């Protein structure tokens, strides 16, 4: 079985947002005062496991567990253990802010996760606190260490904002090279309404960052046709194995090769990051007539609603009112 959308794209990668809650409040991701979902609206661990199984039965080979912060979700390790055993699943991975990795890194690795993405927008403690509103950089650095010790392959993710951290890109790259980690820089996306900064004023294109980086590092383009390249376009620095990626939803649209869909914490199957097209899978999961076959049918039918591409407009009110913590980044 394969999931194929109306534009002929095969969907083999699903991101499950297991909670909308988080222990940080990154300025680009959340408003300072967030109202989180009542727990009854959020899918249970068993419901997420059923979803994972259905997607893998339909040919999905990669699942990413995300949020909100997935490591604040109770039962997360059981979910990983369950998903890690699905026959047909080639890759189980996670995106985390890293604060709980000292506690969980080994259990995550033991559950079958080989690669994780850790968000790191600054290695300056004050800036880190400013960007996350109250985060402690040391906790994340300890998390990175714990993940390395557990044998997890790590990619750092950094959302670049012109007046917050864009000037720190060479330093962040140096950190990644020294620690032998991959790193990707992401253009901020207009998801949800935030108050501290204007998204347009903070916009800095990947090309701008790369030119800035070229002043200190000799960058060599990588072959981005590899299956795991995704929306990142990668460069390398002579003598190092780290990959330096740029994810450019504004300046280099990657929708033509999109192979992914997302499921929110409430079980809404989002067909595109930048559009509202969605199908309610919680209704299927909680139906008195629930069957695995009916759930699979709902997923197959949903593929017809996957839009061709996203349109982000930084100068106007966000068209997408949901925040990234709801979307599942
Ligand atoms: N809490 C985890 C974390 O921070 O890694 C996982 C969820 S977070 C929503 C996933 C990724 O989305 C993070 O790398 C974060 O930096 C990124 N992100 C959040 N809001 C974003 C936005 N408006 N534009 C671009 N990336 C964003
Ligand atoms: Fe939390 Fe991740 Fe959003 Fe930051 S980006 S507020 S860590 S969910």
């Amino acid at each position: 079985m394969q999931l194929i959308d109306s534009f002929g794209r095969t969907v083999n990668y699903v991101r499950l947002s297991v909670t909308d809650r988080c222990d940080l409040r990154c300025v680009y991701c959340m408003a300072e005062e967030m109202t989180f979902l009542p727990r009854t609206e959020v899918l249970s661990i068993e419901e997420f496991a059923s979803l994972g199984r259905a997607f893998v039965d339909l040919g999905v080979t990669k699942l990413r567990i995300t949020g909100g912060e997935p490591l604040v979700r109770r039962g997360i390790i059981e979910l990983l253990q369950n998903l890690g055993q699905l026959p047909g699943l080639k890759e189980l991975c996670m995106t985390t802010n890293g604060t709980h990795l000292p506690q969980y890194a080994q259990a995550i690795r033991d559950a079958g996760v080989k690669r994780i993405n850790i968000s790191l927008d600054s290695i300056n403690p004050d800036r880190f606190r400013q960007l996350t509103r109250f985060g402690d950089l040391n906790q994340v650095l300890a998390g990175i260490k714990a993940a390395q010790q557990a044998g997890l392959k790590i990619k750092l993710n950094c959302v670049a904002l012109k007046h917050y951290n864009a000037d720190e890109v060479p330093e962040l790259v140096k950190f990644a090279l020294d620690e032998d980690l991959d790193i990707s820089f992401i253009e901020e996306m207009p998801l949800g309404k935030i108050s501290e900064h204007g998204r347009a004023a903070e916009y800095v294109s990947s090309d701008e960052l790369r030119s800035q980086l070229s002043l200190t590092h000799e960058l060599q383009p990588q072959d981005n046709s590899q299956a795991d390249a995704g929306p990142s376009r990668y460069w390398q620095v002579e003598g190092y194995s780290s990959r330096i990626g740029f994810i450019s939803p504004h300046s280099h649209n990657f929708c033509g090769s999109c192979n992914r869909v997302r499921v929110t914490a409430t079980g809404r199957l989002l067909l595109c990051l930048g559009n509202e097209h969605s199908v309610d899978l919680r209704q299927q999961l909680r139906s008195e007539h629930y069957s695995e076959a009916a759930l699979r049918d709902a997923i197959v039918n949903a593929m017809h609603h996957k839009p061709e591409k996203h349109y982000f407009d930084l100068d106007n009110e966000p068209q997408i009112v949901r925040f990234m913590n709801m979307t599942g980044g």
Side-chain angles (χ1 to χ4, degrees):
M1 287 286 288
Q2 275 199 321
L3 290 172
I4 299 182
D5 77 357
S6 356
F7 302 94
R9 295 171 296 194
T10 301
V11 171
N12 53 19
Y13 177 10
V14 177
R15 297 185 173 203
L16 300 175
S17 174
V18 294
T19 179
D20 63 328
R21 290 167 197 249
C22 186
D23 53 340
L24 301 180
R25 294 284 184 281
C26 301
V27 292
Y28 49 77
C29 176
M30 291 197 187
E32 185 151 22
E33 296 297 325
M34 291 288 287
T35 309
F36 293 108
L37 293 163
R39 287 184 204 280
T40 49
E41 287 196 22
V42 175
L43 296 189
S44 67
I45 289 296
E46 292 72 27
E47 287 170 329
F48 276 117
S50 301
L51 277 183
R53 194 163 53 244
F55 279 112
V56 172
D57 285 348
L58 291 167
V60 165
T61 54
K62 178 168 173 179
L63 290 175
R64 177 176 298 279
I65 306 304
T66 179
E69 174 47 43
L71 295 180
V72 303
R73 175 69 205 253
R74 192 172 297 171
I76 185 66
I77 299 298
E78 288 86 330
L79 178 62
L80 293 173
Q81 287 165 343
N82 183 314
L83 298 175
Q85 288 170 17
L86 289 174
L89 184 65
K90 294 201 184 118
E91 202 179 352
L92 178 60
C93 43
M94 173 179 273
T95 301
T96 171
N97 64 27
T99 58
H100 287 72
L101 282 172
Q103 184 186 350
Y104 288 125
Q106 192 59 54
I108 292 170
R109 180 69 192 88
D110 293 344
V113 175
K114 295 194 186 71
R115 298 201 299 173
I116 58 170
N117 290 353
I118 304 178
S119 298
L120 183 68
D121 298 323
S122 174
I123 44 169
N124 170 317
D126 292 334
R127 261 197 194 172
F128 183 84
R129 191 170 311 107
Q130 187 193 10
L131 276 158
T132 55
R133 291 207 180 89
F134 43 74
D136 175 2
L137 175 66
N138 281 331
Q139 250 179 309
V140 179
L141 296 180
I144 293 173
K145 274 255 130 33
Q148 286 171 316
Q149 280 161 2
L152 287 158
K153 172 99 178 115
I154 301 168
K155 177 166 78 97
L156 301 175
N157 272 342
C158 170
V159 176
L161 305 180
K162 195 171 210 131
H163 302 101
Y164 284 82
N165 61 351
D167 62 338
E168 210 184 317
V169 166
E171 238 180 295
L172 282 158
V173 166
K174 182 175 181 318
F175 175 78
L177 295 176
D178 289 347
E179 294 291 326
D180 197 19
L181 310 172
D182 291 344
I183 186 164
S184 278
F185 295 97
I186 308 171
E187 290 175 353
E188 184 187 15
M189 289 175 262
L191 303 178
K193 193 164 164 46
I194 47 165
S195 51
E196 273 91 344
H197 66 269
R199 306 235 198 223
E202 289 307 324
Y203 174 66
V204 48
S205 74
S206 298
D207 289 349
E208 240 175 295
L209 294 180
R210 199 158 43 78
S211 318
Q212 182 198 346
L213 193 56
S214 310
L215 301 175
T216 48
H217 295 81
E218 202 166 312
L219 298 176
Q220 297 163 344
Q222 295 302 289
D223 172 13
N224 289 311
S225 58
Q226 302 155 37
D228 71 338
S232 260
R233 290 166 310 124
Y234 286 106
W235 274 260
Q236 260 180 316
V237 177
E238 173 94 41
Y240 292 92
S241 57
S242 302
R243 296 192 301 171
I244 301 161
F246 294 89
I247 302 178
S248 325
H250 298 283
S251 56
H252 291 271
N253 186 288
F254 40 72
C255 301
S257 58
C258 183
N259 64 344
R260 63 198 61 189
V261 293
R262 296 170 164 80
V263 182
T264 69
T266 59
R268 191 172 151 216
L269 173 59
L270 281 173
L271 283 310
C272 171
L273 183 62
N275 282 286
E276 292 295 0
H277 304 63
S278 69
V279 169
D280 181 6
L281 295 180
R282 186 180 63 187
Q283 194 188 334
Q284 290 291 330
L285 285 160
R286 296 188 180 174
S287 155
E288 56 180 301
H289 306 295
Y290 171 76
S291 73
E292 289 185 2
L295 178 61
R296 285 196 299 267
D297 283 349
I299 295 172
V300 170
N301 291 331
M303 292 304 124
H304 303 306
H305 302 293
K306 187 165 166 62
E308 188 178 10
K309 51 165 75 170
H310 66 247
Y311 299 92
F312 286 137
D313 178 356
L314 286 174
D315 294 317
N316 292 304
E317 285 286 291
Q319 302 97 310
I320 303 295
V321 291
R322 69 186 135 76
F323 286 96
M324 191 61 143
N325 70 311
M326 272 306 298
T327 304

